[in-house]
C-alpha cells in the first residue's frame, strides 16, 4: 500500500480516538493531512508534521463545513480523500420509550447530518477532478442495533444507508464512498461510556476483546488510498467476528 506524492486527506474527529490515529498514520506515510475537530486539533496536526493543517470544525454546521473544507482544498490545491470520524454516542443504557426526542435529534445532527454536510462540501471538487475517496465511520450498531442506544444505532444505520446511496450516485465519476462499521474500539468516547454498556457490547464480540486504534487506522488508510479502487457504497466490518455479513 502506498500513496502518490502530494496526496491530501482531510480527517474529521482528528483530535482524538480513531480520527487522531488515522491522521498520524496517514502523515507517517507521506500524506498531507488536514486535521478537523470541534475540539482543538492543533496537537494532532503538530504531531503529523509540517505538511499538516488544523482547523476547528463542527460538522453539524453545514455552512462551516463548506467554508473550512473549501479552505482546505484551496490551501492544499487538491483533496484526494475525506475520512469522517466525528461522532457522538448520546444517551446510553436507556429504553427507547424514555428517550428524549431532543437527544435523538442531537445525535443525528452530528452522526448523520454531519456526514451529509462534509460529503457535500467535497464531492463537487472530487467529481470535477475525477478522483476521490470518502470514508465515513459508522458502527456495528448501525447494522445490528445496540439495546439502550437507540439514537446512536439509528443514526449509524442512517449513515450506512447514506453511503449506499452516494456510492451508487458517484460510481462512474472516479469517486468512491464507503463506510467502516467498528465494534468496540478503545477510544476516549468508549472510555466515557458506562461500564455496563461497554461490557454488553464487548461480550458480543467472538474475539472477546476491543479493537485497537491502529487496527482501525490501518484499514481506513487502505480504503481512502488508490489501491481501494473497485469498492463503493460498501460498509467494511471491523468487528472481531460480531458481524459476518
Amino acid at each position: 500500500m502506498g500513496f502518490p506524492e502530494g496526496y491530501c486527506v482531510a480527517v474529521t474527529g482528528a483530535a482524538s480516538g480513531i480520527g487522531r490515529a488515522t491522521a498520524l498514520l496517514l502523515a507517517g506515510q507521506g500524506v498531507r493531512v488536514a486535521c478537523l475537530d470541534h475540539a482543538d486539533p492543533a496537537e494532532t496536526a503538530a504531531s503529523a508534521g509540517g505538511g499538516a493543517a488544523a482547523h476547528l470544525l463542527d460538522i453539524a454546521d453545514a455552512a462551516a463545513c463548506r467554508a473550512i473544507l473549501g479552505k482546505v482544498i484551496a490551501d492544499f490545491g487538491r483533496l484526494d480523500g475525506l475520512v469522517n470520524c466525528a461522532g457522538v454516542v448520546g444517551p446510553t443504557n436507556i429504553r427507547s420509550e424514555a428517550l428524549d426526542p431532543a437527544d435523538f435529534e442531537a445525535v443525528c445532527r452530528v452522526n448523520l447530518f454531519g456526514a451529509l454536510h462534509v460529503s457535500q462540501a467535497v464531492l463537487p471538487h472530487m467529481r470535477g477532478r475525477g478522483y476521490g475517496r470518502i470514508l465515513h465511520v459508522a458502527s456495528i450498531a448501525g447494522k445490528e442495533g445496540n439495546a439502550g442506544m437507540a439514537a446512536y444505532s439509528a443514526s449509524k444505520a442512517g449513515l450506512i444507508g447514506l453511503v449506499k446511496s452516494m456510492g451508487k450516485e458517484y460510481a462512474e465519476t472516479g469517486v468512491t464512498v464507503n463506510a467502516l462499521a467498528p465494534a468496540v474500539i478503545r477510544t476516549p468516547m468508549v472510555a466515557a461510556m458506562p461500564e455496563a454498556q461497554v461490557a454488553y457490547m464487548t461480550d458480543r464480540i467472538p474475539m472477546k476483546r476491543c479493537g485497537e486504534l491502529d487496527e482501525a487506522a490501518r484499514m481506513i488508510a487502505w480504503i481512502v488510498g488508490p489501491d481501494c479502487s473497485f469498492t463503493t457504497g460498501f460498509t467494511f466490518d471491523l468487528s472481531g467476528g460480531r458481524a459476518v455479513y
Side-chain angles (χ1 to χ4, degrees):
M1 179 181 70
F3 293 92
E5 185 176 354
Y7 208 82
C8 300
V9 176
V11 181
T12 72
S16 65
I18 294 174
R20 174 181 165 79
T22 300
L24 295 180
L25 177 66
L26 289 171
Q29 296 183 4
V31 175
R32 291 191 70 188
V33 180
C35 302
L36 315 175
D37 204 294
H38 75 285
D40 190 359
E43 194 278 329
T44 302
S47 299
H55 298 280
L56 290 171
L57 177 63
D58 175 5
I59 69 167
D61 185 334
C65 288
R66 291 193 298 270
I68 295 301
L69 283 161
K71 178 172 174 52
V72 169
I73 292 168
D75 290 348
F76 282 176
R78 60 190 280 187
L79 188 65
D80 300 289
L82 168 69
V83 179
N84 176 33
C85 297
V88 295
V89 174
T92 62
N93 202 26
I94 181 171
R95 289 184 183 272
S96 298
E97 65 188 62
L99 181 60
D100 188 331
D103 289 335
F104 188 94
E105 181 178 354
V107 172
C108 287
R109 286 201 171 277
V110 175
N111 294 353
L112 184 53
F113 281 76
L116 177 65
H117 297 332
V118 294
S119 298
Q120 288 180 326
V122 303
L123 277 166
H125 168 74
M126 291 179 173
R127 176 171 48 80
R129 291 185 61 226
Y131 181 89
R133 299 285 186 267
I134 296 176
L135 185 283
H136 294 288
V137 176
S139 170
I140 209 67
K143 286 190 169 188
E144 297 190 347
N146 280 342
M149 298 178 66
Y152 183 77
S153 299
S155 69
K156 294 299 188 177
L159 176 55
I160 289 171
L162 179 66
V163 163
K164 290 179 180 181
S165 293
M166 290 195 297
K168 289 180 171 65
E169 289 172 0
Y170 292 87
E172 297 181 76
T173 68
V175 179
T176 66
V177 185
N178 292 297
L180 181 70
V184 189
I185 306 295
R186 294 185 189 276
T187 67
M189 185 171 71
V190 169
M193 294 171 63
E195 184 177 339
Q197 188 72 52
V198 177
Y200 162 79
M201 295 185 293
T202 305
D203 286 347
R204 300 176 70 189
I205 298 174
M207 287 189 179
K208 298 300 181 185
R209 69 173 178 87
C210 293
E212 301 295 339
L213 288 173
D214 65 324
E215 291 176 315
R218 288 196 301 268
M219 194 165 187
I220 291 170
W222 177 72
I223 296 169
V224 297
D227 292 338
C228 185
S229 56
F230 196 53
T231 302
T232 194
F234 185 66
T235 299
F236 292 84
D237 283 338
L238 186 69
S239 67
R242 174 172 165 179
V244 290
Y245 62 93

